[in-house]
Amino acid sequence: MKKEIDSFRGNVWQPMRELLSLQRGINRLFDDVPTWGRAETNFTPTTEVEETDSQWLMKLDLPGVKKDEINIEINNGALTVSGEFKEEHKETKKSRYVSERIYGNFMRSFVLPDIKPDQIDAVFENGVLTIAVPKAETAKVAQI
């Protein structure tokens, strides 16, 4: 009985399955093409978030970004860090040029409940942005 069902399914044209298979094949084709020259993409910086009793502490890795290219905004309890990795323009007379560096915009947002937005402190040093966000008194845990 099972053989009859399998062979019946095998003889039925399934256009959606074929279209999905074709799409996966085309995607693989473009994924396998090496990137020569400039790579431009949206980038998500790696982040470390620590919560203490009194604050949120965030560290974002932003190597190669200049301090004045970083934007930090707070809106309705959401802290957003954004900026851009800019390409360095160099003239070269070599016959080939390969670059694996990433250029483009980045953005990272964090929703932090009950914070003191007027007391946020940020330090950018050696490609690491450290942001300290103090918690409001209502957010602190009370021990009973």
Side-chain angles (χ1 to χ4, degrees):
M1 180 82 171
K2 185 171 182 346
K3 283 186 177 181
E4 292 174 18
I5 293 172
D6 288 341
S7 64
F8 179 74
R9 284 184 185 160
N11 292 330
V12 174
W13 182 48
Q14 297 177 348
M16 287 305 295
R17 179 175 282 171
E18 289 184 28
L19 284 173
L20 289 173
S21 176
L22 176 63
Q23 181 181 7
R24 282 191 297 269
I26 290 172
N27 288 344
R28 275 194 307 270
L29 175 70
F30 284 103
D31 288 342
D32 293 341
V33 174
T35 303
W36 296 95
R38 184 176 155 228
E40 185 170 330
T41 184
N42 286 334
F43 171 74
T44 304
T46 55
T47 306
E48 193 175 88
V49 180
E50 179 184 352
E51 180 183 15
T52 67
D53 291 338
S54 61
Q55 70 179 357
W56 294 92
L57 188 63
M58 287 165 271
K59 294 182 180 182
L60 289 86
D61 292 332
L62 300 171
V65 177
K66 295 178 183 168
K67 184 179 180 177
D68 59 342
E69 295 172 345
I70 300 171
N71 303 312
I72 303 172
E73 298 177 356
I74 188 89
N75 188 9
N76 293 328
L79 177 80
T80 302
V81 179
S82 61
E84 182 177 5
F85 285 97
K86 294 188 179 179
E87 180 179 14
E88 298 172 11
H89 294 283
K90 292 182 181 178
E91 291 292 324
T92 181
K93 297 188 189 231
K94 295 179 181 179
S95 61
R96 292 186 188 195
Y97 177 72
V98 177
S99 175
E100 294 181 351
R101 299 182 74 193
I102 296 173
Y103 303 102
N105 299 322
F106 66 88
M107 183 177 75
R108 198 73 198 257
S109 291
F110 307 89
V111 177
L112 305 170
D114 298 322
I115 61 172
K116 296 179 182 178
D118 55 331
Q119 296 180 13
I120 294 174
D121 185 40
V123 176
F124 186 63
E125 188 176 334
N126 296 327
V128 178
L129 175 63
T130 303
I131 305 171
V133 183
K135 291 182 178 181
E137 295 298 322
T138 57
K140 293 182 182 174
V141 177
Q143 196 75 15
I144 301 174

